[in-house]
């Protein structure tokens, strides 16, 4: 049983904590919080030991009646690996300032740059190349979504080139400060950073992306066009998506024609926090025309990366050397379809 900690118990951190707790080969020893808010209260209520990443705030936790087990540094001493879920940029700093100094293995999230961490991870695409690594970045929600569906297409038909238009949610549902509230904001940097990020995982595929932000909090959607190397049919692609472990072909005709309905479906599935770990692909949108594949997918930004973190832990701690076995184990423990 490996000892895991979460540094930064926020949107991603709290979900990763629960996913790790659902496994039988790893456990959460503690999580860190900076402020004595409702998430800190809930962490303790769930049975997680809470450690302070800002020890000078100890009295604030005391005043709020939130039990603390020590400082983040004390937590790190107890761990085999830390999952750093702090906001983008802080993880890379923690890598050099803390983890490298104490020799602690660490996973970082998509807000960090590939170069700062050295290795990027997606379970179905490159589990094996991350076995035994000390520092690994689980790529962002959007990059994870692209890798999940491009990898099976690549294996099935080969890929000459990918173009994708990413429609991005403006903020997470709990975020009262970000916008836009009533505007579409194009990312005028073309190509956007998403394509090169996919190439940190699947290096020999050219992916060119454009992005725009829209006033929604629920999910991102991707419109994807793939020039194929080999002749395949629409049904071949659909079969490949059905066989992939974390891709979920869905039908608009079942009243799943929008991100709102997909989020309702996730709730009906009884998923904690309404999580949709799989990448839903609209079956009706999958179409091969003249050697080019077209499809549309959605990404639940708060949860698609969560099972990837569990598999990354298994690879880095050498708990399993077969990526497929790890994926199956993680999926079973988390109820992934
Ligand atoms: P968040 O703001 O919800 O949570 C971050 C947590 O870290 C908060 O609890 C915050 O108090 C804490 N924190 C801040 N500074 C800290 C420090 N110096 N030391 C320890 N803890 C600190 O952020 P998030 O959305 O969970 O994002 C975390 C990472 O996951 C980022 O790299 C982000 O890019 C990535 N990510 C986010 C999403 C998403 O949609 N939310 C999706 C995929 C990946």
């Amino acid at each position: 049983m490996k000892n895991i900690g979460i540094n930064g118990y926020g949107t991603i951190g709290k979900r990763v904590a629960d996913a790790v707790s659902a496994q039988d080969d790893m456990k959460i020893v503690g999580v860190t919080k900076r402020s004595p808010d409702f998430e800190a209260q809930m962490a303790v209520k769930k049975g997680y030991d809470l450690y302070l990443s800002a020890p000078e705030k100890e009295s604030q936790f005391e005043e709020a009646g939130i039990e603390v087990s020590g400082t983040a540094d004390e937590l790190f001493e107890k761990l085999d690996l830390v999952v750093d879920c702090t906001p983008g940029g802080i993880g890379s700093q923690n890598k050099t300032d803390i983890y490298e100094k104490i020799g602690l293995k660490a996973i970082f999230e998509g807000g960090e740059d590939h170069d700062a961490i050295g290795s990027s991870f997606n379970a179905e695409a490159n589990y094996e190349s991350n076995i035994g690594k000390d520092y690994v970045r689980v790529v962002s929600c959007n990059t994870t979504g692209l890798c999940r569906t491009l990898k099976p297409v690549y294996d099935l038909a080969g890929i000459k080139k990918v173009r994708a238009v990413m429609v991005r949610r403006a903020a997470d549902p709990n975020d009262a400060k970000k916008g836009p509230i009533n505007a579409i904001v194009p990312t005028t940097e073309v190509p956007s950073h998403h394509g090169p990020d996919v190439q940190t995982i699947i290096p020999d595929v050219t992916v060119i992306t454009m992005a725009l932000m829209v006033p929604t909090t629920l999910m991102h959607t991707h419109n994807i066009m793939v020039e194929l190397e080999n002749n395949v049919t629409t049904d071949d692609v659909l079969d490949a998506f059905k066989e992939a472990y974390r891709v979920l072909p869905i039908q608009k005709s079942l009243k799943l024609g929008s991100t709102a309905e997909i989020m309702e479906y996730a709730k009906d599935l009884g998923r904690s926090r309404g999580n949709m770990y799989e990448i839903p692909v609209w079956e009706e949108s999958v179409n091969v025309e003249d050697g080019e594949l077209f499809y549309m997918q959605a990404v639940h930004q708060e949860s698609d990366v969560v099972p990837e973190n569990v598999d990354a832990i298994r690879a880095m701690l050498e708990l399993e050397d077969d990526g497929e076995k790890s994926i199956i184990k993680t999926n079973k423990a988390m109820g992934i379809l």
Side-chain angles (χ1 to χ4, degrees):
M1 186 68 100
K2 294 294 184 182
N3 293 334
I4 311 299
I6 306 290
N7 193 19
Y9 189 79
T11 305
I12 301 296
K14 63 189 177 185
R15 287 173 169 81
V16 174
D18 289 355
V20 167
S21 301
Q23 314 300 316
D24 63 11
D25 51 354
M26 55 186 85
K27 66 169 196 265
I28 292 292
V29 174
V31 305
T32 75
K33 276 298 296 177
R34 277 186 98 65
S35 348
D37 55 14
F38 79 91
E39 279 177 334
Q41 272 177 338
M42 287 300 299
V44 174
K45 222 174 187 179
K46 274 175 166 268
Y48 296 130
D49 288 347
L50 201 67
Y51 292 81
L52 298 175
S53 49
E56 67 278 9
K57 291 191 183 168
E58 186 173 4
S59 59
Q60 293 180 21
F61 281 78
E62 247 168 54
E63 276 163 32
I66 299 172
E67 191 189 332
V68 168
S69 302
T71 65
D73 289 340
E74 286 165 345
L75 170 64
F76 299 150
E77 282 170 18
K78 301 177 184 173
L79 303 179
D80 295 302
L81 182 149
V82 66
V83 186
D84 189 305
C85 301
T86 59
I90 295 176
S92 314
Q93 235 173 293
N94 287 342
K95 176 174 176 271
T96 45
D97 294 353
I98 308 173
Y99 311 138
E100 283 176 349
K101 286 190 176 142
I102 59 173
L104 178 60
K105 282 182 184 257
I107 290 176
F108 303 90
E109 303 302 316
E112 309 307 322
D113 289 338
H114 169 82
D115 290 342
I117 308 303
S119 193
S120 291
F121 183 90
N122 173 266
E124 270 181 84
N126 73 349
Y127 181 100
E128 280 78 9
S129 65
N130 284 289
I131 288 173
K133 287 250 160 84
D134 288 338
Y135 303 109
V136 167
R137 176 184 75 126
V138 169
V139 289
S140 74
C141 48
N142 278 312
T143 307
T144 296
L146 289 171
C147 291
R148 288 254 185 91
T149 51
L150 288 176
K151 180 64 171 53
V153 172
Y154 179 75
D155 291 345
L156 173 75
I159 292 178
K160 279 189 203 157
K161 182 164 146 191
V162 179
R163 294 194 197 91
V165 179
M166 333 277 294
V167 181
R168 297 172 55 212
R169 63 86 179 100
D172 284 341
N174 67 348
D175 197 334
K177 290 187 184 149
K178 281 194 196 151
I181 288 176
N182 187 22
I184 295 171
V185 184
T187 304
T188 49
E189 175 203 348
V190 180
S192 70
H193 71 274
H194 305 93
D197 209 30
V198 173
Q199 290 176 295
T200 66
I201 301 277
I202 317 174
D204 43 349
V205 170
T206 304
V207 187
I208 298 167
T209 48
M210 294 174 83
L212 51 131
M213 210 188 322
V214 296
T216 179
T217 62
L218 297 182
M219 300 179 94
H220 307 290
T221 65
H222 299 166
N223 304 275
I224 304 174
M225 293 140 269
V226 188
E227 284 180 33
L228 303 170
E229 292 272 6
N230 305 312
N231 253 343
V232 291
T233 65
T234 299
D235 283 344
D236 294 335
V237 176
L238 275 171
D239 287 345
F241 285 156
K242 281 176 191 156
E243 276 166 31
Y245 287 109
R246 290 173 185 155
V247 176
L248 182 65
I250 54 165
Q251 289 161 314
K252 179 184 173 196
S253 57
L254 290 179
K255 276 204 81 194
L256 285 169
S258 70
T259 54
E261 287 149 318
I262 295 172
M263 287 288 85
E264 186 66 11
Y265 179 44
K267 288 184 211 159
D268 281 0
L269 286 170
R271 292 282 175 82
S272 160
R273 299 186 177 97
N275 290 332
M276 174 54 76
Y277 305 111
E278 306 85 347
I279 302 301
V281 176
W282 280 286
E283 282 192 23
E284 292 91 337
S285 74
V286 180
N287 200 6
V288 177
E289 288 267 347
D290 197 19
E292 192 165 3
L293 164 67
F294 300 83
Y295 63 100
M296 291 173 178
Q297 65 182 28
V299 168
H300 186 222
Q301 73 278 357
E302 297 164 282
S303 70
D304 71 325
V305 300
V306 172
E308 305 295 329
N309 278 268
V310 174
D311 293 321
I313 293 171
R314 250 187 225 114
M316 293 166 70
L317 295 177
E318 298 178 63
L319 291 168
E320 174 59 68
D321 57 13
D322 182 334
E324 191 174 11
K325 283 190 186 153
S326 176
I327 291 170
I328 291 169
K329 187 175 171 72
T330 305
N331 281 8
K332 196 169 169 216
M334 293 177 68
I336 291 176
L337 297 174

